[in-house]
Amino acid sequence: GSQRVRPDAIFCTLSPVEPSLLTDQLRTNDNEVTERSDDHFIIGTQYLYLFFRLHQVLVRRLNIAKDISSSVCKNNELRRHIDRLTYEGDPNEGTIRYEAFLSLVYSLVETGTGLNEEPEGAKFEDRVRYLLGNDSYELATMDKLISHILKHLQHMANDETLQNMIEIYRRHKLAGSFKPSAFREEAALMSEGENMYAFQICNVSKLHQKILYFEYLGCIAEDIEDDVDADRDDSKRGLDDVAMEEAEQVSKRPRRGP
């Protein structure tokens, strides 16, 4: 099924990719690349990790809703307790019922952004039960899930460390390949002592699917400090000077308001 969110429900600005001498130098010194050329790699904060987890729950529940939409149409006992959306025996009833559920979900997005208000007395749980029957109990808390996802999107937008990681990701993508070691070294300078996670998205050949791998890295800022103390030859000093200059520029940028 497919539904649309109102255009004014989403606000987004995307600035051009800013060039970085540090990124260029780290990439030049790094011969490691991802195993597959179409893989994507990023290092992010806990907010990004939690968002991917919530997204996984969202996809799982949407799949449950799609399965129930098809099965409830074939159950004569349940059909007497749910809303009638089309004529009996309609081969497209499952699709129609699922698209009606998607409309409820998108209304939650608009409600969460303050562009739509829930009608008085209309509870999401009741509306889902009338649409899909009692077996849809797992979908009853979909409103809370959408609320958590929207809050995490706001946290991600206001997380300066994560925004720095996104800029590194965009520079690697613009360069045409991802170099994990160079990415990690630059991310360590911008991570501000936070615990970080590594994410890699890989295409599954012939299946038109993607797999997301992630790894908990901990505080990677400590790694770069150890490397600097252990090895400070002339070429390393030149690279560190560039890194410190760019890190200082990032720290002076005004922080986003809440």
Side-chain angles (χ1 to χ4, degrees), residues 5 9 58 61-62 101-119 122-125 127-128 139-148 150:
V5 183
L58 174 63
R61 292 193 182 181
L62 289 176
F101 174 77
L102 288 182
S103 295
L104 290 180
V105 174
Y106 280 118
S107 70
L108 293 175
V109 176
E110 295 185 345
T111 301
T113 56
L115 296 174
N116 187 25
E117 294 185 0
E118 189 76 7
K123 295 183 179 180
F124 179 80
E125 181 178 354
R127 296 170 70 180
V128 171
L139 309 175
T141 57
M142 196 74 158
D143 53 341
K144 296 180 177 60
L145 175 61
I146 295 296
S147 177
H148 283 306
L150 292 175

Side-chain angles (χ1 to χ4, degrees), residues 77-169:
E77 181 66 25
L78 289 177
R79 287 177 61 86
R80 294 183 295 177
H81 304 285
I82 59 177
D83 292 338
R84 184 172 179 177
L85 302 182
T86 183
Y87 63 88
E88 186 173 351
D90 184 355
N92 297 319
E93 182 179 355
T95 300
I96 295 173
R97 202 166 289 277
Y98 178 63
E99 289 183 347
F101 174 77
L102 288 182
S103 295
L104 290 180
V105 174
Y106 280 118
S107 70
L108 293 175
V109 176
E110 295 185 345
T111 301
T113 56
L115 296 174
N116 187 25
E117 294 185 0
E118 189 76 7
E120 292 185 8
K123 295 183 179 180
F124 179 80
E125 181 178 354
D126 294 335
R127 296 170 70 180
V128 171
R129 185 169 61 252
Y130 294 147
L131 183 64
L132 300 177
N134 292 328
D135 288 341
S136 61
Y137 59 89
E138 283 193 72
L139 309 175
T141 57
M142 196 74 158
D143 53 341
K144 296 180 177 60
L145 175 61
I146 295 296
S147 177
H148 283 306
I149 290 176
L150 292 175
K151 288 179 180 178
H152 266 80
L153 284 172
Q154 293 174 347
H155 289 317
M156 290 164 61
N158 294 323
D159 184 352
E160 187 173 348
T161 301
L162 179 56
Q163 294 304 313
N164 289 333
M165 300 301 109
I166 293 175
E167 287 302 308
I168 300 174
Y169 166 84

Side-chain angles (χ1 to χ4, degrees), residues 26-37:
L26 289 173
R27 286 181 55 85
T28 300
N29 296 337
D30 183 15
N31 295 323
E32 178 190 5
V33 294
T34 53
E35 183 176 349
R36 291 164 293 273
S37 60

Side-chain angles (χ1 to χ4, degrees), residues 1-253:
S2 61
Q3 294 292 325
R4 297 291 183 268
V5 183
R6 286 168 48 186
D8 55 356
I10 300 176
F11 302 93
C12 178
T13 56
L14 193 61
S15 302
V17 179
E18 296 183 4
S20 169
L21 180 60
L22 175 60
T23 300
D24 294 341
Q25 289 188 343
L26 289 173
R27 286 181 55 85
T28 300
N29 296 337
D30 183 15
N31 295 323
E32 178 190 5
V33 294
T34 53
E35 183 176 349
R36 291 164 293 273
S37 60
D38 57 352
D39 286 359
H40 287 240
F41 179 86
I42 188 173
I43 292 176
T45 62
Q46 188 176 35
Y47 283 135
L48 184 59
Y49 166 76
L50 292 175
F51 173 77
F52 280 133
R53 280 299 194 187
L54 290 171
H55 182 269
Q56 181 184 31
V57 176
L58 174 63
V59 171
R60 177 180 174 274
R61 292 193 182 181
L62 289 176
N63 286 329
I64 290 175
K66 192 171 186 178
D67 291 339
I68 294 177
S69 297
S70 298
S71 62
V72 74
C73 303
K74 304 173 184 177
N75 190 318
N76 293 328
E77 181 66 25
L78 289 177
R79 287 177 61 86
R80 294 183 295 177
H81 304 285
I82 59 177
D83 292 338
R84 184 172 179 177
L85 302 182
T86 183
Y87 63 88
E88 186 173 351
D90 184 355
N92 297 319
E93 182 179 355
T95 300
I96 295 173
R97 202 166 289 277
Y98 178 63
E99 289 183 347
F101 174 77
L102 288 182
S103 295
L104 290 180
V105 174
Y106 280 118
S107 70
L108 293 175
V109 176
E110 295 185 345
T111 301
T113 56
L115 296 174
N116 187 25
E117 294 185 0
E118 189 76 7
E120 292 185 8
K123 295 183 179 180
F124 179 80
E125 181 178 354
D126 294 335
R127 296 170 70 180
V128 171
R129 185 169 61 252
Y130 294 147
L131 183 64
L132 300 177
N134 292 328
D135 288 341
S136 61
Y137 59 89
E138 283 193 72
L139 309 175
T141 57
M142 196 74 158
D143 53 341
K144 296 180 177 60
L145 175 61
I146 295 296
S147 177
H148 283 306
I149 290 176
L150 292 175
K151 288 179 180 178
H152 266 80
L153 284 172
Q154 293 174 347
H155 289 317
M156 290 164 61
N158 294 323
D159 184 352
E160 187 173 348
T161 301
L162 179 56
Q163 294 304 313
N164 289 333
M165 300 301 109
I166 293 175
E167 287 302 308
I168 300 174
Y169 166 84
R170 294 178 67 197
R171 288 195 287 268
H172 277 252
K173 184 178 180 180
L174 185 64
S177 64
F178 291 88
K179 296 192 173 185
S181 295
F183 198 124
R184 176 167 177 156
E185 189 170 353
E186 185 173 1
L189 296 169
M190 306 294 183
S191 62
E192 299 183 359
E194 292 190 40
N195 291 327
M196 307 298 285
Y197 295 77
F199 305 89
Q200 186 164 339
I201 300 177
C202 306
N203 288 314
V204 180
S205 58
K206 300 181 180 180
L207 294 180
H208 302 291
Q209 295 179 351
K210 298 179 184 293
I211 296 179
L212 173 65
Y213 297 96
F214 67 87
E215 177 185 0
Y216 175 68
L217 301 178
C219 181
I220 59 177
E222 298 175 355
D223 298 340
I224 196 67
E225 290 174 0
D226 293 341
D227 291 341
V228 171
D229 292 337
D231 183 14
R232 272 197 174 275
D233 55 25
D234 291 338
S235 62
K236 187 66 177 177
R237 282 197 194 94
L239 186 58
D240 289 341
D241 290 339
V242 173
M244 293 304 295
E245 282 183 334
E246 296 208 1
E248 185 176 356
Q249 291 176 2
V250 170
S251 66
K252 289 181 180 179
R253 292 177 184 170

